[in-house]
Amino acid sequence: QVQLVESGGGLVQPGGSLRLSCATSVSIFSFATMAWYRQAPGKQRELVATFTTGGTTNYAASVKDRFTFSKNNAKNTVYLQMNSLKPEDTAVYYCKMATFLQEYWGQGTQVTVSS
């Protein structure tokens, strides 16, 4: 059974940084796409960043040049480095891994940006 475990969320001041991690219970080579989403209170879940096995990374316009997707194949872990955080980045962040047949979600990790 595939499990995704996120970590790294917390409270940070505006302008600060956090790195989120998403560890999988299977090889990340099992997945065709890997992604980070977020959901702020009262809002729909939105896509933050995606990575495909073809090597393409895409970011939402609101986070481009501030957030960076990366992965460690040996650790079966993907990361989201978040810099220059803003209060509007406050949300629960989720990782999603997808094969061509199925998708899997983590439990989410809270990120709060506040002074």
Side-chain angles (χ1 to χ4, degrees), residues 10-104:
L11 173 64
V12 63
Q13 292 187 340
S17 298
L18 283 174
R19 189 178 78 158
L20 306 182
S21 300
C22 175
T24 73
S25 58
V26 299
S27 170
I28 60 176
F29 291 113
S30 303
F31 305 109
T33 60
M34 293 167 269
W36 287 96
Y37 286 74
R38 67 185 181 186
Q39 187 167 20
K43 294 187 177 181
Q44 290 188 330
R45 191 171 297 188
E46 64 171 345
L47 180 62
V48 175
T50 59
F51 176 87
T52 67
T53 53
T56 302
T57 307
N58 291 295
Y59 299 94
S62 59
V63 306
K64 196 171 183 181
D65 298 327
R66 298 189 298 122
F67 291 11
T68 303
F69 177 98
S70 64
K71 60 186 179 70
N72 184 319
N73 297 334
K75 294 185 177 182
N76 293 322
T77 301
V78 300
Y79 304 97
L80 185 68
Q81 178 67 43
M82 306 186 295
N83 298 329
S84 302
L85 282 161
K86 305 175 182 180
E88 51 263 43
D89 295 319
T90 295
V92 178
Y93 284 71
Y94 300 88
C95 64
K96 187 189 83 171
M97 307 289 187
T99 68
F100 293 109
L101 298 176
Q102 199 164 354
E103 61 184 37
Y104 306 91

